[in-house]
Amino acid sequence: MQRQIRYLFILLVTVSTLQAQKPKTPSSSEIYESIQKLNFLGSVLYVAAHPDDENTRLIAYMANKIKARTAYLSLTRGDGGQNLIGPEIRELLGVIRTQELLAARRIDGGEQLFSRANDFGYSKHPDETLTIWNKNDVLSDVVLAIRKFKPDIIINRFDHRTPGRTHGHHTTSAMLSMEAFDLANNNSAYPNQLKQTSIWQPKRLFYNTSWWRYGSREAFEKIDKSNMLSFNIGTYYPLKGLSNNELASLASSQHLCQGFGRLLQRGSQQEYIEFLKGEPLIDNDNIFSGIDTTWNRIKGGKAIGDILYEIENNFNFKDPSIHINKLLEAYKLLQTVEDEHWKTQKTKEIKSIIEMCAGLYLEASAETNWATQNESINLNIEVLNRSMQPIVLKSIKNTNNLNISKNITLKENNKFSFKETIKINNNQPPTTPYWLTEKGSLGMYKAEKENIGLPETPRAFKVDFNLIINRVPITITKNVIHRFSKPDKGELYKPFEVIPEASAKITEKVIIFDNNKQRNITVVVKAGRDNLEGYAEVCHPDDWNIYPQKQKVTIKHKGEEQTLTFTVIPPNNQSEGYISPIVSINDKTYTKELIEIGYEHIPFQTVLLPSESKIVRLDIKKKGENIGYIKGAGDVVPESLRQIGYNVVIIKPEDITSETLSRLDAVVVGIRAYNTVEDLQFKQQQLFDFVANGGNMIVQYNTNHRLKIDTLAPFDLKLSRDRVTDENAEVRFLSPKHPLLSVPNKITQKDFESWTQERGLYFPNEWGNEFTPILSMNDKGESPKEGSLLVAKHGKGYYIYTGLSFFREFPAGVSGAYRLFANMLSIGKEDLKLEAKIND
């Protein structure tokens, strides 16, 4: 047990430190496993729609038990979901989930691919999905993934035959995979792709089925499984000290922003795949039956295989370096084969194995983690050969301006360190996720054709280490990174980035004016270089005024920020628009914000996005002043309520006492709080007592599974999966004279215009007579849903449950969402009775 725990710790630490391109330092067992994979010439492509859709058990099994090259094609980056670990949503959430997928693949042994599809939110049917996605473009991306990866086997996560039974994105992923299976081998389908790749016909396509497809385990036991393969994916890997299930659990636990951290699983477990199309199975126990996965698969491969199989069969765990000369023989033979696909892939693998066997440590570390155009950056180069094998470092080179001859003999364990300088070109684009460089549509991202499918932007700065190993020239390329240390963290790594010489942001992304009084805003300018001088101004709508028009920017050191204050004067009447900072430096202008995302489980991320903030002159009235907010899965509702003048205090479960609550006019419970905050189950009665004593309690949406409490409300209330995904769906007023729709703000249909992503989700579908439903809405072709906003009098106060997506509407500055929420907070206040009569 101690050995296994120790290995788990080593594995997790290794995964963490490798995230920012730290040179690998693998063990002998890892080298041996790499040789096993080198000797398997077969591949599997797993296809689904989102981060977290992938079956890490099956991916890990294919990559580690079967030894197949395995990849997961996720059509989207999960941009439409929620974030349980921070404030990032939409594009920034997609960046986080991309990196979490890459972290998962580093553990389960797979690779990661994407399409350009944008996760616009929940979709109920593929027809709806494909009205927002561009079907031709997404299908093209799936075909391109197949042609470039060239899988023998494709496995769909979802069933193409059940549209409308699950998320529309899910079914669409399977439908497009089915179609692409045939198109990938058709010369007339997407012929422009053939300039960068070639046609390909996968051998078989499967559906990763399970008992839930048939309703119950009992029903699944009774079905005919002659068309299925099954795998015991609980297999144990002695070389890892882990079972496949444990490996898969570690991989899926990387999806932290979705709350997927979980206990490791062990023991036997069957996984099933159903044959859909392609060459019939010869052997139902072998997914690759009839497919040659040996080196004999390629012309000239037998001689290579004879060398490499001998290495595998007689591997020296004590000294892997004794295999280097034989590996070099195989490497030279590999360069003569005609099959470009396998030549490219296996050359990459065998070079990595030679590097590992020699214990080579090659690193190019920049003195800083970012630089700007025209800047010169010092590199610390470290080269170390930890084997007896004679190796010569002939030269180091990069694509910019570094090409230096070295001719250094790397003797065993004799480290060489030297400094070089690289110059950033004047036209070098800043580092940012490639799919965010140009504004896309609701359903699609844009990308240069050479980047389509890639998980992240290729690093612009690399260093080629040109080596001679036993008279064989080999080039090993490393990304430039930034290695540094902190006293409380030890050695750390960050990617090396290029940033603009100036960036700017307005600190508030939505600025609400509830009257015509002027307000100061803060513009923060960041310098990407030393001695930055220029001026800043704020672009604004015509009916708003901002002064001063310009302010001087003077920043002495790179990385420092200057804070400027501008005064915004709103119009007298309701209005909304966008403001953007503009920084002018010499003859260049900069309008983008530099966003840095730092979480310990993923590499540090730098993102450039257009810097803009929404300004809203809002016609709003409100009652009550002091609001307590109980955080859930993470949102910006507290900040949004402060914008319209409420005094909002964050309340932790341990702080929920009668005395604390007595100071508040209302308590708002954050999204999914009853799914994520276990201690709330012990505080429900105190909250209900607060309502009975005259307070208002507003509970925002929770999912109907994994609830941490038994009693959600003081009266009967049952959550469902009901949702309205069309943000423009008609909203009908069931009780138009109810205070929630009339005081202090008269709510009209206009208040439901410009909503974003959805109306709401996880509405209750059963409730006690004490509740009054306020609104009715539904997606096209569905029955009316009346559970989006429910209110019940409880003692002297009011309990309100809402599945409306205020957490999305507030950050988008939707006026009507603010006005309706103000009514919810104000209900029952004594001084509203007269207003209610007047409005009636």
Side-chain angles (χ1 to χ4, degrees):
M1 176 59 74
Q2 282 295 110
R3 177 174 175 268
Q4 183 167 330
I5 292 173
R6 185 165 56 251
Y7 185 86
L8 280 173
F9 175 79
I10 292 170
L11 175 65
L12 289 170
V13 170
T14 301
V15 168
S16 175
T17 55
L18 284 179
Q19 287 168 347
Q21 296 82 48
K22 179 179 179 179
K24 292 182 179 180
T25 53
S27 65
S28 291
S29 60
E30 291 174 290
I31 299 173
Y32 177 68
E33 288 182 293
S34 296
I35 292 170
Q36 288 180 309
K37 295 195 74 169
L38 177 67
N39 284 336
F40 190 94
L41 279 69
S43 50
V44 176
L45 181 66
Y46 197 87
V47 181
H50 310 106
D52 85 358
D53 284 345
E54 84 274 29
N55 184 343
T56 55
R57 298 183 303 273
L58 196 51
I59 290 174
Y61 183 88
M62 291 297 162
N64 295 280
K65 175 63 176 178
I66 304 298
K67 307 300 181 186
R69 185 186 178 207
T70 307
Y72 172 42
L73 171 60
S74 176
L75 295 194
T76 78
R77 297 175 185 268
D79 328 71
Q82 284 90 53
N83 184 359
L84 299 185
I85 60 174
E88 298 88 358
I89 58 173
R90 291 303 306 150
E91 294 91 347
L92 297 180
L93 178 59
V95 172
I96 292 173
R97 291 190 172 182
T98 294
Q99 292 300 321
E100 288 183 340
L101 277 172
L102 289 170
R105 299 294 80 78
R106 283 189 286 269
I107 293 174
D108 62 29
E111 299 174 38
Q112 187 61 51
L113 305 172
F114 290 97
S115 84
R116 288 169 289 172
N118 188 346
D119 178 8
F120 56 83
Y122 192 86
S123 173
K124 294 182 176 179
H125 198 280
D127 291 346
E128 178 191 15
T129 299
L130 293 174
T131 61
I132 298 176
W133 289 354
N134 182 318
K135 178 186 176 181
N136 185 67
D137 286 351
V138 182
L139 179 58
S140 165
D141 293 353
V142 179
V143 170
L144 181 63
I146 294 172
R147 286 173 170 174
K148 293 178 76 171
F149 190 75
K150 299 193 182 321
D152 299 301
I153 307 296
I154 296 177
I155 303 175
N156 290 345
R157 182 68 179 106
F158 300 105
D159 193 346
H160 66 286
R161 299 160 294 194
T162 56
R165 287 182 54 180
T166 183
H167 197 322
H169 297 180
H170 292 171
T171 312
T172 300
S173 71
M175 293 168 61
L176 295 180
S177 177
M178 288 285 290
E179 196 170 344
F181 182 88
D182 299 315
L183 290 176
N185 197 39
N186 185 339
N187 277 301
S188 62
Y190 307 109
N192 287 337
Q193 294 180 359
L194 302 181
K195 297 175 183 178
Q196 55 178 314
T197 186
S198 59
I199 59 173
W200 179 255
Q201 182 57 64
K203 293 296 191 294
R204 300 185 182 101
L205 189 148
F206 296 87
Y207 159 50
N208 186 191
T209 189
S210 182
W211 65 264
W212 41 260
R213 165 69 174 81
Y214 298 88
S216 68
R217 297 182 187 276
E218 292 74 19
F220 184 63
E221 290 299 321
K222 296 176 182 177
I223 67 167
D224 179 9
K225 297 184 180 63
S226 59
N227 202 35
M228 296 182 185
L229 276 74
S230 68
F231 312 94
N232 177 7
I233 47 84
T235 185
Y236 179 69
Y237 302 126
L239 290 173
K240 298 179 183 295
L242 290 168
S243 68
N244 189 77
N245 279 345
E246 290 172 301
L247 200 65
S249 298
L250 287 168
S252 64
S253 289
Q254 300 308 300
H255 296 301
L256 294 184
C257 75
Q258 302 186 66
F260 269 41
R262 60 193 178 97
L263 292 171
L264 303 191
Q265 298 178 355
R266 304 168 188 83
S268 296
Q269 183 177 345
Q270 292 298 122
E271 194 73 47
Y272 293 86
I273 58 174
E274 176 188 353
F275 176 76
L276 296 179
K277 66 162 62 176
E279 294 183 4
L281 288 164
I282 300 171
D283 176 4
N284 267 31
D285 292 327
N286 181 8
I287 192 173
F288 283 96
S289 65
I291 303 171
D292 190 349
T293 58
T294 71
W295 279 99
N296 293 331
R297 177 171 190 162
I298 59 175
K299 183 179 179 181
K302 184 180 183 305
I304 300 171
D306 288 344
I307 297 170
L308 296 178
Y309 292 134
E310 181 183 356
I311 294 174
E312 179 181 348
N313 293 332
N314 298 283
F315 184 73
N316 189 321
F317 285 88
K318 290 184 178 180
D319 183 12
S321 67
I322 70 167
H323 301 298
I324 291 176
N325 289 334
K326 286 293 184 180
L327 288 167
L328 289 169
E329 285 183 38
Y331 171 81
K332 288 190 293 183
L333 289 173
L334 184 57
Q335 306 317 299
T336 66
V337 304
E338 298 175 2
D339 189 315
E340 285 298 323
H341 170 70
W342 285 115
K343 176 182 176 180
T344 300
Q345 178 59 30
K346 294 303 179 181
T347 293
K348 177 182 174 183
E349 292 179 30
I350 201 168
K351 283 169 63 174
S352 176
I353 293 170
I354 291 170
E355 178 186 359
M356 291 188 285
C357 286
L360 277 171
Y361 191 95
L362 308 171
E363 181 179 89
S365 175
E367 61 186 350
T368 178
N369 70 299
W370 45 257
T372 59
Q373 294 173 344
N374 276 332
E375 188 173 358
S376 294
I377 294 295
N378 293 326
L379 295 183
N380 296 310
I381 307 292
E382 183 175 332
V383 183
L384 177 64
N385 169 24
R386 288 175 283 199
S387 72
M388 294 287 290
Q389 180 73 40
I391 300 175
V392 175
L393 174 64
K394 291 292 294 181
S395 64
I396 57 173
K397 180 180 179 182
N398 81 343
T399 54
N400 292 64
N401 43 46
L402 185 69
N403 189 358
I404 300 173
S405 178
K406 290 295 180 182
N407 290 314
I408 299 172
T409 299
L410 304 178
K411 296 181 180 179
E412 182 188 12
N413 216 29
N414 189 0
K415 185 178 75 171
F416 290 88
S417 298
F418 40 90
K419 294 185 181 295
E420 303 295 346
T421 301
I422 58 173
K423 179 76 176 290
I424 312 300
N425 292 334
N426 187 46
N427 59 354
Q428 178 63 47
T431 306
T432 197
Y434 70 83
W435 63 96
L436 299 178
T437 55
E438 187 178 353
K439 188 174 179 60
S441 65
L442 174 64
M444 297 296 298
Y445 284 119
K446 293 185 178 180
E448 298 293 334
K449 63 180 182 180
E450 62 269 19
N451 289 331
I452 293 174
L454 297 180
E456 54 186 345
T457 307
R459 291 286 156 187
F461 292 91
K462 304 172 182 288
V463 170
D464 292 337
F465 293 84
N466 298 313
L467 307 170
I468 303 292
I469 308 177
N470 195 14
R471 298 184 296 280
V472 178
I474 285 185
T475 297
I476 296 176
T477 302
K478 298 294 180 181
N479 292 328
V480 174
I481 49 83
H482 172 55
R483 180 163 66 101
F484 63 107
S485 67
K486 288 186 176 181
D488 59 336
K489 296 286 186 181
E491 185 177 69
L492 298 171
Y493 283 75
K494 281 186 178 181
F496 176 70
E497 319 274 30
V498 176
I499 66 170
E501 62 176 341
S503 57
K505 66 179 179 181
I506 298 173
T507 54
E508 296 172 304
K509 294 308 174 189
V510 176
I511 307 169
I512 306 294
F513 293 77
D514 58 356
N515 53 48
N516 61 0
K517 293 182 180 180
Q518 67 186 34
R519 184 194 294 187
N520 290 338
I521 63 168
T522 300
V523 173
V524 179
V525 180
K526 184 169 185 174
R529 63 170 174 82
D530 292 337
N531 301 315
L532 189 76
E533 293 189 358
Y535 64 86
E537 56 190 318
V538 178
C539 179
H540 58 85
D542 291 339
D543 56 341
W544 295 68
N545 288 301
I546 295 181
Y547 71 88
Q549 287 188 344
K550 296 181 180 180
Q551 294 195 55
K552 188 175 182 180
V553 172
T554 305
I555 305 176
K556 189 172 183 179
H557 301 294
K558 69 183 290 187
E560 290 185 349
E561 295 179 339
Q562 181 178 353
T563 299
L564 305 171
T565 301
F566 289 84
T567 301
V568 180
I569 305 173
N572 290 324
N573 300 317
Q574 185 157 317
S575 173
E576 58 185 61
Y578 290 91
I579 57 176
S580 302
I582 301 173
V583 180
S584 299
I585 308 294
N586 297 325
D587 58 345
K588 294 183 178 181
T589 58
Y590 299 91
T591 60
K592 289 190 175 182
E593 174 183 357
L594 181 69
I595 302 165
E596 296 176 320
I597 302 174
Y599 292 101
E600 290 188 357
H601 67 299
I602 60 174
F604 189 84
Q605 297 295 299
T606 299
V607 184
L608 277 172
L609 290 178
S611 181
E612 63 178 18
S613 295
K614 188 171 185 179
I615 48 174
V616 180
R617 166 64 173 95
L618 183 59
D619 179 15
I620 188 171
K621 300 174 184 177
K622 59 188 183 298
K623 299 296 179 180
E625 182 178 351
N626 298 314
I627 309 299
Y629 199 87
I630 301 171
K631 286 188 175 182
D635 56 55
V636 294
V637 172
E639 296 87 338
S640 301
L641 295 179
R642 293 185 184 112
Q643 286 264 14
I644 56 174
Y646 284 106
N647 176 31
V648 183
V649 294
I650 304 300
I651 304 176
K652 297 179 180 179
E654 59 266 28
D655 297 330
I656 299 175
T657 64
S658 299
E659 182 180 354
T660 301
L661 296 176
S662 67
R663 306 187 189 106
L664 304 173
D665 297 299
V667 170
V668 180
V669 182
I671 61 172
R672 296 181 63 183
Y674 291 120
N675 297 128
T676 59
V677 185
E678 292 194 24
D679 289 349
L680 274 182
Q681 62 184 310
F682 308 116
K683 299 294 183 175
Q684 277 294 82
Q685 190 56 53
Q686 286 174 288
L687 291 169
F688 295 159
D689 290 344
F690 162 73
V691 177
N693 290 328
N696 290 341
M697 180 178 178
I698 299 172
V699 179
Q700 298 177 87
Y701 100 93
N702 290 268
T703 63
N704 62 347
H705 60 289
R706 297 179 182 172
L707 281 170
K708 306 294 186 183
I709 60 170
D710 297 322
T711 306
L712 188 63
F715 310 109
D716 289 341
L717 186 68
K718 183 178 180 180
L719 302 183
S720 72
R721 296 183 63 85
D722 288 350
R723 63 203 302 160
V724 176
T725 60
D726 182 358
E727 62 268 36
N728 298 310
E730 179 190 1
V731 177
R732 297 173 292 276
F733 297 170
L734 298 174
S735 303
K737 294 184 179 181
H738 194 282
L740 287 188
L741 297 178
S742 57
V743 291
N745 304 289
K746 184 68 175 179
I747 303 300
T748 69
Q749 291 296 329
K750 186 175 178 59
D751 289 297
F752 290 94
E753 294 177 1
S754 302
W755 281 50
T756 181
Q757 187 161 327
E758 63 204 356
R759 289 293 190 199
L761 61 171
Y762 289 97
F763 299 160
N765 64 349
E766 296 180 23
W767 53 83
N769 293 331
E770 295 86 354
F771 283 102
T772 299
I774 304 300
L775 305 173
S776 175
M777 59 188 72
N778 57 273
D779 284 321
K780 183 179 179 180
E782 294 191 354
S783 61
K785 305 296 186 290
E786 298 183 352
S788 65
L789 181 57
L790 302 172
V791 58
K793 190 79 161 52
H794 179 55
K796 298 177 182 179
Y798 289 84
Y799 175 96
I800 298 172
Y801 189 92
T802 180
L804 294 172
S805 58
F806 290 103
F807 69 99
R808 294 198 191 281
E809 312 318 316
F810 285 172
V814 177
S815 302
Y818 281 91
R819 286 162 45 82
L820 178 56
F821 210 91
N823 283 8
M824 293 158 58
L825 291 169
S826 302
I827 189 171
K829 306 307 177 188
E830 290 299 320
D831 53 350
L832 294 182
K833 292 181 179 178
L834 179 60
E835 289 187 49
K837 290 181 180 179
I838 294 173
N839 284 328
D840 284 346

